[in-house]
Amino acid sequence: NASEMLQNKVVPLRRGYVGIVNRGQLDIDRDKSIREGLTKEADFFRSQPAYRSLQQKCGTANLAKNLNNMLMHHIRDCLPELKSR
């Protein structure tokens, strides 16, 4: 159970954590698709009582969304400086 880590209580990080479940080597060897892996990941977080209240901090989709937001903010912050050159 990594719920305390996801709540940023164990080792605090400025942007916190996002929990994900990757496909294992056996899944890859059995040709399980990435889509199937994402479905399995979502099912895992929905089915585990410890993670139900942490849905916004779990899953590859949330990780991608958070990283995209960080990138957009970084671009927005740097754009005026690049325009002035």
Side-chain angles (χ1 to χ4, degrees):
N1 180 334
S3 61
E4 287 192 2
M5 184 70 81
L6 292 174
Q7 293 174 47
N8 216 19
K9 292 180 180 177
V10 179
V11 179
L13 295 177
R14 184 173 24 150
R15 299 188 190 275
Y17 295 88
V18 177
I20 62 169
V21 177
N22 288 318
R23 293 180 303 157
Q25 188 61 50
L26 188 59
D27 293 332
I28 295 167
D29 292 342
R30 292 182 177 169
D31 292 326
K32 184 174 277 190
S33 71
I34 293 173
R35 180 166 288 147
E36 289 173 307
L38 292 172
T39 300
K40 185 178 173 184
E41 175 190 52
D43 291 343
F44 172 80
F45 286 121
R46 272 195 301 271
S47 69
Q48 298 296 314
Y51 302 116
R52 283 192 197 129
S53 64
L54 300 171
Q55 291 296 306
Q56 75 280 2
K57 296 183 181 192
C58 296
T60 302
N62 284 327
L63 176 61
K65 186 173 107 179
N66 289 345
L67 290 172
N68 189 45
N69 284 335
M70 283 188 253
L71 178 61
M72 292 301 293
H73 285 276
H74 180 70
I75 290 170
R76 205 174 294 140
D77 291 345
C78 293
L79 198 55
E81 181 183 319
L82 292 174
K83 282 184 177 180
S84 67
R85 287 185 182 180

